[in-house]
């Protein structure tokens, strides 16, 4: 499963509505998970804007990097360019560059599930694992 910014934020903060679901999915994943450097950068920025404790956020990201069950892909020029190409092709969507990198990686790795609340993943044909209660 791909670990997206919104899913990691739900996991990190107990007051997030889908916190329990995120914890359960994150902790019970039987396969290695994948994330990338743009997700980590976005997570740090978003968590600090929302006034999460800085040290706790940075420690969490370092723990993710050290976790042997999570592969972190460092976005290089080629991956960045592929994501930019996707954004140009999907001008009718409001995808972020971080989203586009995730979509490219998920297709490359044949990953269908994302720990996310972001509807953009469904728009691109992936499974959004965190669904708000109806």
């Amino acid at each position: 499963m791909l670990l997206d910014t919104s899913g990691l934020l739900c996991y990190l903060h107990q007051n997030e509505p889908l916190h329990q679901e995120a914890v359960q999915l994150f902790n019970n994943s039987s396969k290695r998970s994948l994330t990338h450097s743009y997700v980590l950068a976005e997570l740090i920025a978003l968590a600090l804007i929302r006034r999460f404790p800085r040290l706790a956020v940075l420690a969490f990201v370092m723990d993710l990097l050290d976790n042997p069950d999570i592969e972190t892909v460092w976005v290089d020029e080629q991956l960045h360019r592929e994501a930019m190409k996707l954004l140009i092709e999907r001008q009718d969507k409001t995808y972020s560059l971080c989203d586009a990198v995730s979509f490219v990686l998920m297709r490359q790795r044949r990953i269908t599930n994302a720990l996310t609340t972001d509807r953009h993943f469904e728009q691109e044909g992936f499974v959004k694992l965190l669904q708000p209660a109806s």
Side-chain angles (χ1 to χ4, degrees), residues 21-75:
E21 292 87 341
V23 168
Q24 198 169 33
L25 287 163
F26 185 93
N27 291 340
N28 295 331
S29 177
S30 58
K31 297 179 182 176
R32 281 185 51 135
S33 296
L34 179 75
T35 194
H36 56 84
S37 53
Y38 286 12
V39 164
L40 301 180
E42 191 176 70
L43 176 65
I44 291 169
L46 183 58
L48 295 178
I49 287 169
R50 294 177 83 179
R51 301 191 185 277
F52 289 12
R54 182 179 180 82
L55 189 56
V57 171
L58 296 175
F60 177 72
V61 170
M62 291 302 292
D63 286 346
L64 288 175
L65 290 172
D66 293 336
N67 188 326
D69 295 323
I70 299 171
E71 178 185 354
T72 301
V73 173
W74 297 95
V75 178

Side-chain angles (χ1 to χ4, degrees), residues 7 29 38-39 47 61 65 68 85 92 94 105 107 117 125:
S29 177
Y38 286 12
V39 164
V61 170
L65 290 172
K85 183 179 175 209
D92 62 321
T94 57
L105 278 175
R107 285 201 177 92
T117 62

Side-chain angles (χ1 to χ4, degrees), residues 11-26:
Y11 178 86
L12 180 60
H13 199 263
Q14 293 178 355
N15 291 338
E16 290 295 318
L18 296 171
H19 172 71
Q20 290 301 325
E21 292 87 341
V23 168
Q24 198 169 33
L25 287 163
F26 185 93

Side-chain angles (χ1 to χ4, degrees), residues 49-116:
I49 287 169
R50 294 177 83 179
R51 301 191 185 277
F52 289 12
R54 182 179 180 82
L55 189 56
V57 171
L58 296 175
F60 177 72
V61 170
M62 291 302 292
D63 286 346
L64 288 175
L65 290 172
D66 293 336
N67 188 326
D69 295 323
I70 299 171
E71 178 185 354
T72 301
V73 173
W74 297 95
V75 178
D76 61 9
E77 182 180 355
Q78 180 180 348
L79 182 53
H80 182 96
R81 286 182 177 274
E82 288 179 47
M84 292 295 296
K85 183 179 175 209
L86 179 72
L87 290 177
I88 291 167
E89 292 169 356
R90 304 284 197 282
Q91 291 186 40
D92 62 321
K93 305 291 186 214
T94 57
Y95 301 163
S96 70
L97 179 57
C98 185
D99 290 343
V101 169
S102 295
F103 303 153
V104 169
L105 278 175
M106 290 177 79
R107 285 201 177 92
Q108 288 176 349
R109 303 291 182 93
R110 292 182 166 83
I111 296 171
T112 55
N113 296 336
L115 185 70
T116 189

